[in-house]
Structures are given as structure tokens and as C-alpha cells.
Amino acid sequence: MRRWPVLLFLAWVCLLFFAGIGLFMSGFLLTRIELASSSSCSDPLVSPPRERQSLPPGSCWAPRRFPKAVLVIIDALRFEFARFNPAKASPLPYENKLSFLHRLATSQPRHARLYRFRADPPTATMQRIKGLTTGSLPTFIDVGSNFATYAIQEDNLLAQMVQNGRRVVFMGDDTWEGLFPKKFFRSYFFPSFNVKDLHTVDDGILQHLYPTVDSGEWDLLIAHFLGVDHCGHKHGPDHPEMAKKLTQMNEMLRSLVDHLGNDTLLLVAGDHGMTETGDHGGDSEKEVNAALFVYSKTPLFGTGPPEEPEAVPQVNLVPTVALLLGVPIPYSNIGEVMAELFSGDGDAVSAALQQLSVYHINAKQVDRFLHSYSLVAQDLPAEQLQHLQELFSSAVEEHAQLLAQVQGVTLVPPELESRLGSLIGRFQLYLREARAVCTQSWARFHPLRMVGGCTLIAASCLLCYVASELAAASDSFYRSCLLYPLLWGLVVAVLLGLARAFTQEGLDLLLVLSWAAAASQLGFFWHWWGRHPKRARLAGSQPPLASIGLRQRLRAWLGLAFPMGILLFRCGAMFSDSFVVAEARVAPFLLASLVMLLVGKLHWDGRLTVSEGPRQQLLGFSSYRREIWYLLCFVAMLLVCVRLSGFFHQCREEIPQCRPSLFLSPLASLRNTRAKNLFYLLCVALLAGLVYAVRSWLRHYGNLNSSDPLVLFVRWGFPLVVLCIACFWAVASSTDDSLGKLQELVQVAVVAFPWAVYGLASMGLLLLLCNPMTVFAKDTRESAGSIVTPYLGVPSSEVDFLHVIPQIYKRMQESQKSRLERGSCKATVAAYGLGSVYSAALVIALTLLGFLLMLLHSERLSLAFLLLFLEAFMLLHIHTRARGLAGDAEPFSVPWYAVISWLLAASQFFYSTGHQPIFPAIHWNAAFVGFHLDHGTNLLPAVLVGANTFASHILFAVGCPLLLLWPFVCEMPSSQRKKPKKEPREELQEVEEHMMEMRLRESPEKFSTALLQLGLKYLFVLGTQLLACVCAAMILRRHLMVWKVFAPKFLFESLGFVVSSICLLLGISLVMRVDCAVSTWFSQLQLR
């Protein structure tokens, strides 16, 4: 069996896809250009000069109103959390808890005001911090670095404070440490990533907050609380814990105001909101609708508050705070100053003049940024820039004229107020249109790279299809289709590297990899085209259909058209935002449709009738009818599993009438103790049932008879893993209040039990890798003739084994024949579990992976995983029975419908394990299963969250070789026939046929080719789906829903492809490791 060539070929194809994905991403998800310029006090942005001369000390651009400010960020403070409605008699847990803010706003209307604080998507914490400090817009791809923060290089509010000699003190979320290194006069950072920890960050802030305020050694104090956000992630907003946390924040604000001086500005802000499930990251109304509360002990506002709170974009906070504190506005700010905070205590005219002054400064700063940005980037439309320039010039000119008239006292107050209001409106129009232009151009596309990536992916799909058809027909397949293309790609990579070295330009590794991938693809198609002339290519696809009738031709084509039609329909649906949004229902429908089409085709071919025919005569009438009923029962059970899997869905914001499944929330969120206990017992029982089913299957096929370490682990290790998971679920589902003095012990157990599962599963996988054989050989053979071999000593190569294995089979058969002829009852060689040795290893591996993945999900999602395993079992049996009834003459080839249905099931259970291709639906809790404190690296949490997100992709990809192995395990129905009386020779014939997976060993070349073809078909289907997402994102990049629907879908599909392809290689590698162990076992058996 050729092991390494198969793995190398599949790995090479995966790299081709990876190169296409990387190239497309580099053109589709480019980050916005960040300007290195920064503002300074000496910038000539303030006019007229008379105002500049009157600036007090410590002020830049405009007179500062406050020497100190406190910015309290309550993470995920949704507007509804801060608004107080006294008319509500029975408020929800998150309502009417911040009563102190309401009391301040009503008792001191000119000192305090509440705003709707509108966040720009994506609503991840790091992007919001960037927006709150730079006044610019984050790009879409920045969300991927939410937990891999890097220092902000762009001009920002903190840099301006430090640059102008101000002291910035920070306490709270340690995300700020990575974003603003060495910017703080004093700092108290606390780990932020553990979303299950509601108190560490908040308690740490409260320990330092009041002493720091009282010390006065600060100019800007930032306190970033995380408890509300973490409570939302852990329990959701509608939970008593949220009421406790908001009440704590209310008392904190009450105490903080008592400690503030009269010269201090207080800002209480939420960086984003949260959904009804407590998540964020997207652009739904509840996610972008945060709260902002402004307060000072000196009057702030010239008029009372409006009836409804005003909506303010978050970027508006940056220019406002900068000018209030007397520092320059950051260079790249596109926010609009909140002018009502600059009204002062004068009359309406003086207030309007002060507002007009700060609007003028703000507009000049934005105009300077747009001019500088347009010089280095061409993504802002020229006609819109020209329009903005005209708006700005006319507003500045009218402002100068108005100031001259005011100084000359040529305007009466009513006319002056009208002119001032009109001019303020013109500045507002300019600033808002400028922000809108930047918002529309926040992502720059590189069309050539996008087209190149799409072409690479499409060529890789074509290569998979051609290679899957070519692998069995060419004797020199690996040399012409693997070695030569690799050499082509290597030569191109070396030439590009040398060219870059000679020209002394920077080496773009992604471009080099992409060109090398394109060259290797070209080499493959060149050698395929050159070695297979047109006539041969056409003839190669024609003979099977050339000598048959029209009806038979239609049947043959329909066998391929039905599954491919389903695949093409799924790919076409990627171009519709409605289908992508509803894909959780589309994928199960397509899977059920494909299975029903398979049954319909069998019926149309006459395979589901029981009339006497050659096939029926071979099987026997009752046996054939039994196979039909088995198939129909398996189909019915599959449809039930598909239907039940819909109860574990997650909702998208685009479907307002949808309600998320109750099974997604952890047991700790249940308030009914009896329901919690019943669900817990059910989950543990199902987990134990899964272990019982796996062990029963292994025992049925004889794979639990030996005393090897792996078999012992399956016997005793599996129940121990279940026990550890059950204990972890028990301690994790208990509420904090019910623990009492056991709190510390439970905290240890919450970490210890997952690590026990990690350790046991790793041990099992290691044992499986070291010795995957689950075969028990009982050898009491009588002496027989020697085995004739063309070599001396122990077999040392695959060729030697090919001479030995058939003779061992022959020896076993002759011994059995002799026993039957003599009527002897003496046993010969009994190899228990040899016929299912490949499948047994995969089943054990899948069970261990299932344990790990169930641990990373909430307890009740174990029901979904049980359905996953049951549905996979049904698909394997449907595939086996359908092939048996159809009389498939190619046992080494897996049909397309089986591969496509397998992948549709993987997509279906992506949704049925509580996931959606959107960022708010990511289960961040998985990063802390087994970890109580923060992680020291981002790699481990990324692996845990990725395993949680793509659990179904992992399981179905690793289990993909079962599509090839399962029909051999179950044997064809011919081996199950029963006759009333058997002659010895007939019984011997049955023994010869009952070889199961050892039939694969009879033709090792066909076996390796079959694995290669299966892997290529799997990658073809995966690649086709990926290609559809890539094309949809590229073609619809200006679509209204591109960043809401198509871009997240592309990212999740790309990551799913990477995970699936790697796990596919691991699954096939495991089969080849078993094959290597089987060869060793046979060589040892030959020496006995």
C-alpha cells in the first residue's frame, strides 16, 4: 500500500486551497491605512487668531473647560440598562437598576444628561476601544484580533494627553495594556478573557478607585469594568446575576460622585450593547445601542434635556473630550464634537458662538485628515471629496464673514441667532457627510488579488475532480501528477525569491506561495493533458455508456446528476443573503432531499421490488426483502434525527421571530432545581449510553477480546472519562450562592475534572497511535507445510508482504477445509476483530474526540452530539444498504452521493450544536473549560474556541474513511444468506467470503487509490462550497449585507475548510497507521 504518496498528494492539494484562501483574504479584508501623523498644539487649525491669543494656559486649540475627567467604561452597558422607567412596576433584572443616574439627571438637568451611544460594528471590545480613543472607524478584519491585541500606532486621545504632559491612570481590562503600552502614569490591569469570572476585574477596580480619585495624582482616570459583560456572556441579561451586577455598578457610581471635585467631568459609557443571549460582535440594534452618561458638579448644558435621549456616535466622544480637556483632537478623528457641552453659562448668542468655534476647529481637523488620507489612499471617491471640500470652504467663508459682522455689531440678535443656527447646521452637515463617506469606504478591496484567489480555488477544485478520476487509470500517477507539479512550483518560488533579492524589494511570502501554487497546478494540468491525448480522454469517459441503451444511460447520469444538483443548489444559495441567513434550515432539507432522491432512484431502477431476478435469486427472497426494509427503516430514522436536530438552533438577528433553543444555555442558568437535575441525569445517561453503544459495537466485531493497552483503555478508560465529565457538569451547573464554604473546593474541581478528561483522552489517542491493533489472535494450528517465499528471513518490504499474506489466507482456509472434511472440532487460527480493525480504530478515535468536544459545549448540547453520532451511523448504513441493493461492482469507490450527504450532515450539525456563521454566536466560554484564570498565550484559547465552533467539521472529517470501510465491515448481503443445510465446501466458501476489511488487504494498490479518491472527492465538495462563498463575497462586495452576511460566512467557511482538510488528513493517516500495524501483525504471524 502506498501510504506517503497518498498523504503527500492530499497535503499538496490542501496547500493549493490554502494559498487561494490567503490570496483572496489579502484582497478582500484589507485593513484601513493608518496615518502616522499626529496633532499638536502648534497646528494652525484655530481661527481667527484673536481666539488663539486668548487661550488660557494648558489649553490647545480651544479653552479647556475641565482640568480633570473620569471615564468609567461599563463593558456591554446597553442603553436599556441605564434608562430608568419609574412606571414599570415589575422591571426585568436589567431594568431600573441604575437609579442613581436617573436621580442625577432629574434633580440636576443642567449638570447631567443620558445619551444613546451608537457603536460602529464590529462590536468587539478591542475595536470599540480603538473607536473611543482614536475617533476613527475599525475595519472588519480587526475583529479577528480581538484577543490578540497590538499597540495602537494611530494618533489617539491617550497619546495626546501624554504628549501634553497630562497624567493618565488606568484600572481594569488588561486589553488596554496591549493597546497603549507605556502610556499610563499608573495602571492596575486585571485579566479580562475569562468570561465566567464576574468579579475579579470589578473588585480590583473598586479596591483602587476611590483612593486614586482622592489622591488627585491624575488628569484622566479610566476605569473599565467587565462584570456586566461577563454576566451577559455567562447568564444573559435576563438573569438575577445581572441585577446584582448592575446594582453594584449603581452603588459604585453613587460613591464615585461623592469623591469627585467640582472641576472634574464624569463620563459613564458602554463600549457596546448585548443581544438577548448576552453576546456581541455584530451590528444588531441591541449590540450597537450602548449608553453614555455625562455629569459635572458645575453646569454643563445651557438648556434642559430633550424628551427622548439624543443618539450620539461613539466617535463623537473623542473630539469632545479632547477639547474639553484642552488637548488637540487626534489626527485621524472623524467624529463630530458634542457642541452642547461647550455652551457655558452665557446667553443664547454667546453659547452659539462658542459652539460655532469648536465646530470650526473640528471641521478643519477633519478636512486636514481627509486631504492627507486621499494622498496615500485612493479609496475615497474623488467626486465626494470635491463635494465635501465645497461644503467646508463655504462654511468656513461664511463663518469668517459672520465673525466680522459680529465684531462690527451690524446684526441684531434675532437675525444673528438665525445666522448662527444656520451656520452650525452647515458645519454639522459637513462633518456627518464626511463620516458617511469614510464609513462607506472603510474596507479597501484589491480586485486582482481577489480574482487570483478565486481562480486558485476554482483550479484546485478542478484538479481534485480530475485527479479523483485519474488516480485509478494511470500507472505513473504520482510521478506525473505529484512530483513534476511540485518541481514546477518549487522552481517558480526560487525564481521569484531570486528576482526579489536582485531587485532588493520586500518579499511577499503570500504572493510567492500563490505563484508557486499556480505553477504547480499548471504543471499538473500540463502533464495530464500531454500524457492523455484528446481521443483517449474522450474515450476514457465514454465506454461505460457507449454500449448500453438510453434508459441505462439516463440511470447512470442521474446517479451523478442528483447529488451534484444538490451540491450546485447549495452553492447557488450562497449568493442569496436570505438563504445564508436561513441555512440552518436549508442544510437539513438538502440532506433529507438527497437521501429521498437516492431511495427514489433505487425504486426507479427496480431495486426496491421483490420480483424474482438474478440478484434476488442470489440473495434469497426473504433476505432481499429484509435488506429493503432495513434501508427504509434507516432512512426513516435519519429523517427523525434531522428533525430533532432542529431543536438545538441558535438565532440570528435577521430573523426577529426566532427564539434561541433552550438547550444552548448551561444548566447553571436554570432556576428550577428539579428541571436542572432531570436534565443533568438525562445528559449523563446519554453520555453513558454512547459509551455502551461503542463498546457493544466493538465487542460484536471482536475488537474487545485482547489485553492490549488500547483495549483495556476502551474497557476502563471510557467509563472513567464519562465519570469525569459528569462530575465537571455537576460542579459547573451549581450556582455560586449554593456553594457556601465549598466555593474554593469547587473552583479546584472546575479546573481538575476537565484536565482529567484532557489527560485521559490524550492518553487514549496516544495509545491508539502507538498500537492501533484491536485484534486477538488465538493460534492452535496444526503443523502445515512451509510458506514458500522468494526471499530469506523476515519479510522486509511491502512487496515481500504481498507474497506472504495470500499464503497465510490460504493456510487458514486449507486448515479449515481439512477440519471440515475430517469432522474435527479442533480450532485453527482465530483472529478476533481482524475484519473490522480499521473501522475500530476510527470509532475509538471519534469517541475520544466526541468526549473532548462535548466537554467544550454546554451540558444539554450532549443531546445534539448523540444525534450527530446516530445520524452518522444511519448515513453509513444507508450507504452500505444502497450499494448492496444496487449491486455496485466497484467496492473500492465511494459514490458522490455518500460524500455529499456526509458533508451536508457536517454543515447541519454546525448549526445543531448552537453555532451560526456570525461573531456574536461564537461560544467564548469554551476557552475557559479547565482554566480558572486568564491564559498566558492566545494559541490555546484559539484552539479551544475553534474546536468548539467546528466540532461537527472535526468529527465528520476524521470519520470520512468510514464511507469506504463500512460496506466491508457490514459485508454485502450475500454473506448473510441462510440455508437449511450446508455442505462443507459451501461452508468453506462462506468462510472465504467473510473477510470483511481484509478484502482491502488483497488489493493494497486499490486500497491506497480508494483512500486517495475519497480524500479528493471530499476536498472537491468542500472546495466547491468554499468557491461559492468566495465568489459571493467578491461579486457582492458592495452589497448592503456584505459585512453582515457574506463576509462572516466566507470567513467561517474558510476556517471550516482549513479545519476539515487537516482533520481529513489525520483520519486517513490513522487508517494508514492501522494498515502499517496490520502488516507488522501479519509478519509476526508468519514467523510463528
Side-chain angles (χ1 to χ4, degrees), residues 821-868:
E821 290 177 349
R822 295 194 312 267
S824 172
C825 296
K826 293 182 180 180
T828 59
V829 178
Y832 298 96
L834 187 61
S836 58
V837 63
Y838 297 100
S839 298
L842 282 172
V843 169
I844 293 172
L846 290 171
T847 306
L848 290 172
L849 290 174
F851 288 149
L852 290 173
L853 296 172
M854 279 188 276
L855 183 70
L856 298 177
H857 287 76
S858 61
E859 301 90 341
R860 288 184 285 180
L861 281 178
S862 59
L863 308 178
F865 277 92
L866 179 69
L867 287 175
L868 184 151

Side-chain angles (χ1 to χ4, degrees), residues 696-997:
S696 298
W697 186 89
L698 294 171
R699 187 180 297 109
H700 173 74
Y701 286 104
N703 296 103
L704 285 184
N705 292 319
S706 73
S707 58
D708 290 337
L710 178 60
V711 175
L712 293 178
F713 181 84
V714 173
R715 291 177 183 171
W716 305 108
F718 278 17
L720 189 57
V721 172
V722 171
L723 178 62
C724 291
I725 295 177
C727 292
F728 170 70
W729 286 348
V731 295
S733 61
S734 58
T735 59
D736 296 338
D737 296 339
S738 64
L739 299 176
K741 297 180 180 180
L742 298 178
Q743 177 70 36
E744 294 183 2
L745 181 61
V746 169
Q747 292 298 331
V748 174
V750 167
V751 175
F753 284 124
W755 274 102
V757 176
Y758 294 151
L760 288 171
S762 300
M763 180 189 302
L765 292 173
L766 186 61
L767 291 173
L768 183 64
L769 183 64
C770 294
N771 183 17
M773 291 289 290
T774 53
V775 177
F776 174 62
K778 186 176 180 181
D779 187 4
T780 58
R781 295 172 296 173
E782 298 177 358
S783 178
S786 61
I787 294 177
V788 180
T789 61
Y791 56 86
L792 298 177
V794 179
S796 59
S797 67
E798 191 72 26
V799 177
D800 296 343
F801 287 142
L802 295 181
H803 289 281
V804 174
I805 294 171
Q807 295 190 58
I808 293 177
Y809 287 152
K810 186 176 181 181
R811 172 81 64 81
M812 297 169 68
Q813 293 164 6
E814 288 178 351
S815 178
Q816 177 73 358
K817 180 180 179 181
S818 175
R819 179 179 68 83
L820 292 173
E821 290 177 349
R822 295 194 312 267
S824 172
C825 296
K826 293 182 180 180
T828 59
V829 178
Y832 298 96
L834 187 61
S836 58
V837 63
Y838 297 100
S839 298
L842 282 172
V843 169
I844 293 172
L846 290 171
T847 306
L848 290 172
L849 290 174
F851 288 149
L852 290 173
L853 296 172
M854 279 188 276
L855 183 70
L856 298 177
H857 287 76
S858 61
E859 301 90 341
R860 288 184 285 180
L861 281 178
S862 59
L863 308 178
F865 277 92
L866 179 69
L867 287 175
L868 184 151
F869 284 111
L870 187 60
E871 186 170 311
F873 183 77
M874 295 298 108
L875 283 173
L876 290 171
H877 274 285
I878 290 172
H879 164 51
T880 299
R881 304 293 170 177
R883 293 191 64 170
L885 292 172
D888 197 340
E890 285 292 335
F892 287 90
S893 177
V894 179
W896 283 102
Y897 73 80
V899 179
I900 295 175
S901 61
W902 196 252
L903 274 163
L904 284 174
S907 298
Q908 170 204 346
F909 277 99
F910 170 78
Y911 296 98
S912 296
T913 49
H915 297 98
Q916 284 280 352
I918 50 177
F919 294 109
I922 295 177
H923 300 176
W924 300 112
N925 291 342
F928 293 95
V929 176
F931 298 90
H932 179 59
L933 299 176
D934 204 9
H935 290 279
T937 175
N938 292 312
L939 178 61
L940 185 57
V943 171
L944 294 176
V945 173
N948 172 283
T949 303
F950 300 105
S952 63
H953 295 73
I954 293 172
L955 292 174
F956 279 95
V958 172
C960 179
L962 290 174
L963 293 173
L964 173 64
L965 301 173
W966 206 260
F968 293 95
V969 174
C970 298
E971 281 284 1
M972 296 303 174
S974 58
S975 65
Q976 300 172 2
R977 65 184 185 277
K978 294 182 180 180
K979 294 185 180 181
K981 186 177 180 180
K982 300 178 182 177
E983 297 296 329
R985 185 170 299 276
E986 293 174 346
E987 187 173 344
L988 174 62
Q989 182 181 358
E990 183 175 341
V991 171
E992 291 179 6
E993 290 183 354
H994 250 297
M995 293 167 60
M996 300 167 66
E997 288 181 346

Side-chain angles (χ1 to χ4, degrees), residues 541-554:
S541 60
Q542 295 283 339
L545 302 178
S547 59
I548 58 178
L550 178 62
R551 183 179 178 85
Q552 287 77 8
R553 289 190 186 187
L554 287 175

Side-chain angles (χ1 to χ4, degrees), residues 667 670-682:
L667 289 179
L670 289 180
R671 305 178 192 176
N672 190 322
T673 304
R674 184 176 181 182
K676 180 188 297 186
N677 293 336
L678 289 176
F679 272 117
Y680 173 77
L681 293 176
L682 176 62

Side-chain angles (χ1 to χ4, degrees), residues 801 1001 1073-1085:
F801 287 142
R1001 297 285 307 177
R1073 174 68 186 93
V1074 176
D1075 185 75
C1076 183
V1078 170
S1079 299
T1080 304
W1081 185 84
F1082 273 119
S1083 67
Q1084 294 173 353
L1085 184 64

